[in-house]
Amino acid sequence: VSRHAAARRTALPLPLSVTLAVTAAAVLLGSITGTFAFWSDDGTVASGSLRSGTLDLTFDGNLAGAGANGGTWTNTAFALDTMLPGESVAASFVLRNAGTAGLTYAVSGSATGALAPGLRFSVYAGGAAANAGTAAAGNRAGTCGGAALATDATLGGSASVVVASRRALAAGASETVCLVARLDSSAANSLQGTTAAATLVFDGRQVGG
Amino acid sequence: MRVGLVAVVIVLAVGVLTLSVAGSVAAFTDAAAQRSGPLNAATLAAPTALTCTNGAAGSGTADIGWTPTTTGAAHRVDAESTPGVWVSLGTVGVGVRKLQVTAAMMASLLSLGATYRIRVVAVAGTAWSSSPSATTVTLQTISLLGLGLALACYP
């Protein structure tokens, strides 16, 4: 019995060692497997050029460029001296959208000076200005071709709407705009010798804006 | 019932979110302004240097002339019927510098031997006028054989 018991004692460690060996092998294999490289492919998508559009209203080429946005141009042709009741002056210019995005525009205006209440302003699109008459005859008359956008508007010190219906102007497109300033035929006698200046703002907004 | 309420709340929330997002979208603008040059009204100055010249011999007329200092204006010639009351004799167009006054033009005023002051006013449009001329000339009614009352410059 003691011999058999001794044999059983010596035989027991064998499966344990095998287990340990197998485990060690597995661990070893596992670590070896962990060092295997994985093939991969990283794809990069680069954007094209992203550039904002521009709106750039110009008057006869004036106020061009982003730096002139919101600027003011003095139209020296839109002036008249020694006006008498009924006399008028017209001046036309090319309104251009020199930007890269389409826009729509409306027009508002204001006027300063004691003569302002006696003046009437009209705006036309698509026609040029023509001026006739002489100061000596007191019959100077300015007229515009094209379609009337506003007729005989009175401007005060605060900006008021002159052309409310917005007009489209595609990128690069232009149209001739003509203005008329007329001293009303029934202007008050007290307006003699007075002066005024008007400012018209062409408010361009991006299409859909 | 509760599911319906939740759905309504969700729809409202989405709507408000959509509106707030839409309201925050910027729009590119360019407000280009154009200023006029000076627009100046004329000043009508009173005609000066009034003259009275007798017409052709025997015509019984007189020519009233003046020097305008304002271009573009017509001129009205007045006669003083009674002190301070002026009656228009006629208006001449722009560029005309004299008016021939006849007895017929003063028919409502004439009385033999009377004298009348004459003045000239510049007018434009429907409302503008100058101050009356600072100087006046005087007409006298005379009896002209065969023509009845006529006019002559006085003195």
Side-chain angles (χ1 to χ4, degrees), chain B residues 5 11 27 40 56-57 61 71 82 84 99 107 110 116 124 127 130 140 142 145 147:
Chain B
L5 183 61
V11 168
N40 299 328
T61 64
T71 58
T82 57
L99 175 70
L110 290 177
Y116 300 92
S130 70
Q140 184 178 37
I142 58 175
L145 189 62
L147 291 178

Side-chain angles (χ1 to χ4, degrees), chain A residues 112-180:
Chain A
T112 57
L115 185 60
L119 293 173
R120 304 290 181 265
F121 295 89
S122 300
V123 182
Y124 296 78
N131 289 286
T134 65
N139 62 354
R140 291 169 294 181
T143 56
C144 289
L149 305 182
T151 304
D152 287 344
T154 303
L155 302 180
S158 301
S160 58
V161 174
V162 177
V163 178
S165 179
R166 304 190 73 85
R167 291 180 63 81
L169 207 55
S174 62
E175 67 177 345
T176 299
V177 176
C178 185
L179 308 174
V180 176

Side-chain angles (χ1 to χ4, degrees), chain A residues 73 83 192 195 198 200 202 206, chain B residues 28 32 34-36 40 42 44:
Chain A
W73 172 61
M83 294 180 79
Q192 288 189 42
T195 187
L200 295 169
F202 289 72
Q206 70 182 52
Chain B
F28 285 173
Q34 178 172 154
R35 181 177 296 132
S36 73
N40 299 328
L44 298 185

Side-chain angles (χ1 to χ4, degrees), chain B residues 1-107:
Chain B
M1 187 67 179
R2 182 175 299 172
V3 171
L5 183 61
V6 170
V8 168
V9 169
I10 290 174
V11 168
L12 286 175
V14 170
V16 169
L17 181 62
T18 303
L19 284 175
S20 64
V21 170
S24 67
V25 173
F28 285 173
T29 64
D30 179 12
Q34 178 172 154
R35 181 177 296 132
S36 73
L39 297 163
N40 299 328
T43 299
L44 298 185
T48 57
L50 268 61
T51 59
C52 182
T53 307
N54 288 325
S59 66
T61 64
D63 289 335
I64 306 299
W66 59 87
T67 298
T69 53
T70 304
T71 58
H75 290 85
R76 189 186 74 235
V77 180
D78 298 336
E80 188 179 30
S81 59
T82 57
V85 179
W86 296 86
V87 176
S88 173
L89 300 181
T91 300
V92 297
V94 174
V96 180
R97 307 295 181 233
K98 68 176 184 179
L99 175 70
Q100 186 181 62
V101 182
T102 66
M105 295 166 65
M106 300 183 67

